[in-house]
Amino acid sequence: MTDELLSGDQVEAMGVDDWRSMYGAIEAWFATGDFATGLRFVDAIGAVAEEVGHHPDVRLTYEAVHVLLTSHDVGGKTRRDVDLARRISALAADLGVRATPGRVQRLELALDTWDVPAMRRFWSAVMGIDPGDIDDEVRDPTGVNPTIWFQETDEHPEPRQRFHLDLRIPPEDVEPRLGAALAAGGTLVSDAEAPRFWVVSDPQGNKVCLCTHRTRQH
């Protein structure tokens, strides 16, 4: 069924090599090299999107085009997105435009809290974002602002770390990114949940999780 939600692992198995799963979407960066080529590419994407009645979010910059595909009506990625991704990759190939998967990443802020509903109400209000239907996060539907995810924890006084960063990256980028972080003075805190995520700290103990789509449902 075209409306069945797909996990990142399912999308990866479908062989859309230009694209990477990022939460409820699949995304690709295409290196166009110049603005004119980017405009032609965006025009071609728009024509195909109108043809199939399924529309991506497209961001045009001087040397690249970023494309995000999601099925808003069901709240995640579906075969409709995969089918359109294949069409867009074919358009890129026709224009001689190459995909640069290493540029795809998404930042999420994770906040430890012992009262998820209260924190969710506050952060959705202060950011001016409709909290939507997901009960443990505040997600900007435009993708401009990072998602804030609320992680349940025991009640504790300061100064224990309350915020940490979740950085979703392509699975093949974890090893080089982790190596660079360790070479820059970081410490591997835990790989117990790999390949779902690795916990790394900076030289002063502030933590970030390097996350992938592997074993996740979105």
Side-chain angles (χ1 to χ4, degrees), residues 40-115:
R40 290 198 298 273
F41 186 35
V42 170
D43 284 344
I45 292 172
V48 169
E50 286 296 303
E51 176 189 329
V52 301
H54 189 49
H55 300 89
D57 295 330
V58 181
R59 177 182 164 204
L60 170 64
T61 65
Y62 176 70
E63 295 184 331
V65 171
H66 171 247
V67 188
L68 182 150
L69 288 166
T70 187
S71 297
H72 295 285
D73 56 338
V74 293
K77 44 191 177 271
T78 67
R79 188 171 292 276
R80 281 177 285 158
D81 302 303
V82 173
D83 291 343
L84 184 52
R86 290 196 173 103
R87 296 282 300 272
I88 293 172
S89 290
L91 294 173
D94 289 343
L95 287 170
V97 170
R98 63 181 179 84
T100 54
R103 291 194 62 182
V104 177
Q105 62 182 24
R106 189 84 69 81
L107 180 66
E108 180 177 80
L109 304 178
L111 175 58
D112 291 348
T113 177
W114 49 90
D115 189 344

Side-chain angles (χ1 to χ4, degrees), residues 175-207:
E175 185 175 344
R177 195 74 64 92
L178 181 59
L182 300 182
T187 301
L188 177 61
V189 177
S190 175
D191 60 2
E193 299 295 330
R196 189 180 179 88
F197 64 87
W198 290 252
V199 184
V200 188
S201 72
D202 69 15
Q204 296 185 6
N206 301 298
K207 297 180 180 65

